[in-house]
C-alpha cells in the first residue's frame, strides 16, 4: 500500500494511505466524556462531598458580610456601632477572600487528580478501540468534525464497564 505524508493542523506529519477511502478517522468529545462517563460523574460527586463543609462555610461568611453591609446601610446605627460593623465587615471580607482562594486552589488540585485517572482510563479505552477497529487516527479537542466520525458513544459505553 502506498503511503502519503500529510501535515496536520498541530504540525505533526502522519503517514496516511494514498487513498482517502483507506483512511479511518475517529473523534472523541472529551468534554462529553467528563460530563457523562460514570467514572467522571462519580469523581464529581466525590469532590462535591469532600468540599461541602468548606463550601457551606464560605456561604455562611458571604451571608454574614451581606448582613453587615445591610446593617451599615441602614444609617440608624450609632456611629461607634457603625464603625465596629465596618471593621467586622472588613475582617469578614478578608477571611472570605482568603478562604475562597484556598478553596479554589484545593478544589482545582483535587479535580485535576480525580480527572487524571478518568482521562488515563479513557485514553486506554480509546487506544483499545483504535486497535480493535483499525482506526488510523483518533482526534480530541478539534474545532469541527463531522458527526459520522464521533466515537464518543463507544468510549462512554466502554467506560461504563
Amino acid at each position: 500500500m502506498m503511503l502519503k505524508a500529510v501535515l496536520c493542523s498541530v504540525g505533526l506529519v502522519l503517514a496516511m494511505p494514498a487513498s482517502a477511502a483507506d483512511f479511518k478517522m475517529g473523534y472523541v468529545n472529551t468534554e462529553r466524556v467528563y460530563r457523562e462517563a460514570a467514572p467522571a460523574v462519580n469523581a464529581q460527586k466525590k469532590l462535591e462531598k469532600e468540599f461541602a463543609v468548606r463550601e457551606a462555610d464560605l456561604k455562611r461568611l458571604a451571608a454574614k458580610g451581606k448582613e453587615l453591609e445591610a446593617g451599615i446601610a441602614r444609617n440608624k446605627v450609632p456611629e461607634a456601632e457603625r464603625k465596629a460593623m465596618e471593621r467586622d465587615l472588613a475582617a469578614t471580607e478578608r477571611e472570605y477572600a482568603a478562604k475562597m482562594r484556598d478553596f479554589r486552589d484545593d478544589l482545582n488540585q483535587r479535580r485535576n487528580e480525580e480527572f487524571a485517572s478518568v482521562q488515563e482510563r479513557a485514553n486506554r479505552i480509546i487506544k483499545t478501540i483504535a486497535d480493535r477497529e483499525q482506526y488510523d487516527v483518533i482526534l480530541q479537542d478539534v474545532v469541527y468534525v463531522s458527526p459520522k466520525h464521533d466515537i464518543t458513544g463507544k468510549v462512554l459505553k466502554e467506560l461504563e464497564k
Side-chain angles (χ1 to χ4, degrees), residues 61 64 68 84-98:
L61 279 173
K64 179 181 177 183
L68 288 167
M85 290 173 77
E86 287 173 349
R87 283 191 301 274
D88 194 15
L89 176 61
T92 300
E93 288 173 341
R94 282 192 305 275
E95 182 181 1
Y96 178 85

Side-chain angles (χ1 to χ4, degrees), residues 88-117:
D88 194 15
L89 176 61
T92 300
E93 288 173 341
R94 282 192 305 275
E95 182 181 1
Y96 178 85
K99 285 186 175 188
M100 179 58 88
R101 183 180 55 250
D102 291 344
F103 175 84
R104 286 184 181 153
D105 290 347
D106 293 347
L107 179 61
N108 285 335
Q109 180 179 352
R110 286 289 295 121
R111 181 179 287 132
N112 290 341
E113 291 168 2
E114 289 293 326
F115 280 88
S117 66

Side-chain angles (χ1 to χ4, degrees), residues 64-140:
K64 179 181 177 183
K66 287 183 181 186
E67 203 174 286
L68 288 167
E69 285 177 340
I72 293 168
R74 278 190 224 113
N75 291 334
K76 295 181 180 179
V77 182
E79 182 68 20
E81 189 177 333
R82 187 177 63 76
K83 290 218 181 267
M85 290 173 77
E86 287 173 349
R87 283 191 301 274
D88 194 15
L89 176 61
T92 300
E93 288 173 341
R94 282 192 305 275
E95 182 181 1
Y96 178 85
K99 285 186 175 188
M100 179 58 88
R101 183 180 55 250
D102 291 344
F103 175 84
R104 286 184 181 153
D105 290 347
D106 293 347
L107 179 61
N108 285 335
Q109 180 179 352
R110 286 289 295 121
R111 181 179 287 132
N112 290 341
E113 291 168 2
E114 289 293 326
F115 280 88
S117 66
V118 174
Q119 182 178 12
E120 183 180 312
R121 186 168 170 212
N123 285 341
R124 280 195 314 271
I125 288 170
I126 292 166
K127 288 176 185 172
T128 301
I129 291 171
D131 291 340
R132 182 178 62 221
E133 298 183 22
Q134 298 179 335
Y135 280 90
D136 294 301
V137 66
I138 295 180
L139 304 171
Q140 295 177 324

